[in-house]
Amino acid sequence: MASIELPLEAGRAPAPVQGWTLLAALPWFAAVAVLLLVPDLTYQPLGRELALIWGAVGGVLTLLGLFGNRLGRVGRWSALRGPWLFAIGAASVLWTVVTAKTGWLPQPFFPTPQAMLEVFLYDYGKILHSAAFSIWLLAKGFFFGAIAGFLIGVGMGWSRAVSYWATPLLRYIGPLPATAWLPLAFFIFPSSGSASVFLIAFSTAFPVAVLTWSGIAAVNRDYYEIARTLGASPLFLIVKVAIPSALPHVFVGLFMGLSTSFAVLVVAEMLGVEAGLGWYLQWAQGWAAYANMYAALFVMAAMCSGLITLLFRIRDRVLVWQKGVVRW
Amino acid sequence: MVTAALKEDLPGAGREISIEAVSHRFDLEGAPLPVLDDVSFTIEPGSFVALLGPSGCGKSTLLRLIAGLDHPASGAIRVDGAQVGAPDPSRILVFQDPTLFPWRTVRANVALGLEAQGTLKTEGHRIDAAINLVGLQGFDKAYPHQLSGGMAQRVALARALVNQPNVLLLDEPLGKLDSLTRLAMQTELVRLWQQSGLTAVLVTHDVEEALYLAQRVIVFGPRPAQVVADLTVDLPYPRHRGHPRIAELRHEALRHLGLEASW
Ligand SMILES: Nc1ncnc2c1ncn2[C@@H]1O[C@H](COP(=O)(O)OP(=O)(O)O)[C@@H](O)[C@H]1O
Ligand SMILES: [Mg+2]
């Protein structure tokens, strides 16, 4: 164990091999051994294919462990993630044992790794299609909601009249979960798709409006006076002073809006939209296809975290000036 | 050459400012708070005048009135004979805090005035000249949080000067700097004023600073401010801080401020 060092302590000359990465290959090979050598309780498909995949992972990790420090980006990644790669391999062993080999976790509620592979192999088209549909629906709703919320927030922050009329409405209607509108929205809108876009927009707009508004209210008054003595018009004060200064708040609102819109999206798809990951989940439940449900959940998590990451990237780019002002 | 770019077509350079029987008051929780009491004086075009007075007497208020950010309760303020209305880039106020826009680089901060006036395309060349003038070449891509206090205040000066103001209103612009930076910046203020020919009005509560920089020091009493003395500093530039005439004038200024004992 002494030769294994956590790769996080960077700065010294690179070690000849990545200890953790090499170690991480072991559980993957162990998983192959368990899969092939221990008999399954019931018939499982694709055992050999899965063994091939896991074996390949173990092989790649071995190579990365041996030569990774000479490989640049990929090598740096594996050096950093060695302990995680180990843990995932170990989890695969455990999973195989408690489902396929011993049945400690009952079938079919806890599918075997082989069954999961089967779903991804034979149903990936439908899953990807559902994911793409969900993303598109979410994108439309989020886009309109963010714009509407932003404009409402700017209007409330800037104009007394807008604030007078909008504040009570926002106070009263805003906190209502957007999903409560679902039955009505499906009834009013021509299609369940447009109803969902509206509800996602609605749930996004509320936090974006509130935070944009508070961001604009918090702008340092001196900024306005400085801009005015420099010859700024009211439009300039809004666009070049108030809005840039309020942007950090706006992004907080966007993050909150995106999170709530996920919930609205899934519920809307489950209840009325005949496509998307939420619908897939519902459909799989109807057929008691538990492996498909886990697959859909897995893809859904990837989608949500991917979109949040994307928003983080955009924020890092737009608010690059904030680095060093605040800790992220 | 740098200054040439800033000085070119300066229309009439410094302007005359006349304060005519100006009184002003604020509303403080319902009760009126008189701040300026019948203040009158005239500032020669192109001169450097310091306004000296105890803290809270109303110096900043007077400067804001000249800038046009507020309007006097009674009396009038004229610049070259015309009554001051809305704020105008020909009269620029520099605050005690640099108050740079944190989301803009140094260059974009300096460009603010030209952008606001819509003259960025035609007058953009002045930005580099202004940045060089305050000695910040090479920092144009830096963000405000990467600057020291002195550098940030220089950017604030460049942001003002790039507009070729006729009147520069300085509200304790060096008040928050450390004493060494402060001395260096004082010398620089004199240089900038001499090179641009504008009318400079400096608010300060530092007697030394007023006497080192200005041709004339107007001393205010406690709130509501009234002019209690009008001193002429008849010394050529560059000045020496230890000059006996400065010591003399300091004695006089402190006497007017009621601080004779501390001399
Ligand atoms: N906007 C305002 N509302 C109410 N009182 C004010 C306002 N601005 C300044 N004052 C008061 O006016 C007096 C003079 O302020 P100021 O001009 O800033 O003094 P200083 O001479 O220190 O610059 C102070 O007592 C201050 O509290
Ligand atoms: Mg003041």
Side-chain angles (χ1 to χ4, degrees), chain A residues 158 215-232 236-237 240-242 245, chain B residues 60 64 67 69-70 87 92-103 109 112 153 156 159 171-172 176:
Chain A
W158 199 258
I216 292 209
V219 176
N220 186 345
R221 320 292 317 165
D222 290 348
Y223 291 163
Y224 294 130
E225 300 206 324
I226 283 170
R228 277 174 62 210
T229 58
L230 293 176
F236 188 93
L237 292 182
K240 298 285 180 116
V241 183
S245 176
Chain B
S60 298
R64 290 173 57 87
L69 287 169
D70 285 321
I92 295 193
L93 185 54
V94 176
F95 292 82
Q96 178 171 15
D97 289 307
T99 341
L100 304 177
F101 289 10
W103 60 91
N109 263 292
L112 199 64
Q153 199 53 276
R159 178 175 65 184
D171 193 354
E172 304 190 34
K176 285 199 174 165

